[in-house]
Amino acid sequence: MKGKKTLYIALIIVGLCLAGASLISWRLDLPGSVGGTLMGSGSGMAAIGLTQLLMLHLDQKDPAQARRKEIEVNDERNVAIRRRAKALSGDVLQWAVIVAAWVSLGFDAPLWVTLAAIAVFVSKSALEVWLVVRYQREM
């Protein structure tokens, strides 16, 4: 518990330092992408650290609620629902990538964009077949 708290506090501090560095980078006339990247990643890290720290505080404040939440997260039915949702979202994403490849052809995008979309589609399909074979051997 204490290690998690230290990690979240460190995330907040590093995030705020990165956000501060972005302000300094704008004063030094560095490219805007550098400052934007620093501000985005710093703000994200600080927000994640703060949110997780608050969740940890709420769990410490009400241990019974934390135990109920833990049981619900690990419940077989909820695990099956999450896995099914992830599988369906993966299928939707796979076909969205193919649609993006077709759209890139229609907009005369560079060939590497279309080939990258096709490579993602093929990689996802190959990974899916490999995982099916692996899980069939395990079960």
Side-chain angles (χ1 to χ4, degrees), residues 120-139:
V120 168
F121 178 84
V122 170
S123 299
K124 193 266 183 192
S125 298
L127 179 64
E128 188 175 325
V129 169
W130 178 74
L131 287 172
V132 166
V133 170
R134 178 179 165 205
Y135 291 151
Q136 283 177 343
R137 287 183 186 162
E138 288 178 3
M139 294 181 169

Side-chain angles (χ1 to χ4, degrees), residues 46-85:
I48 289 171
L50 184 62
T51 303
Q52 292 298 325
L53 195 60
L54 287 172
M55 293 301 294
L56 191 63
H57 175 71
L58 289 175
D59 286 347
Q60 288 175 346
K61 194 173 180 180
D62 189 5
Q65 177 69 24
R67 280 192 296 277
R68 283 192 300 270
K69 186 171 57 172
E70 182 71 26
I71 290 170
E72 187 175 312
V73 165
N74 295 327
D75 180 47
E76 288 181 28
R77 181 176 177 269
N78 290 333
V79 170
I81 289 171
R82 276 195 308 275
R83 287 181 179 168
R84 188 172 180 185

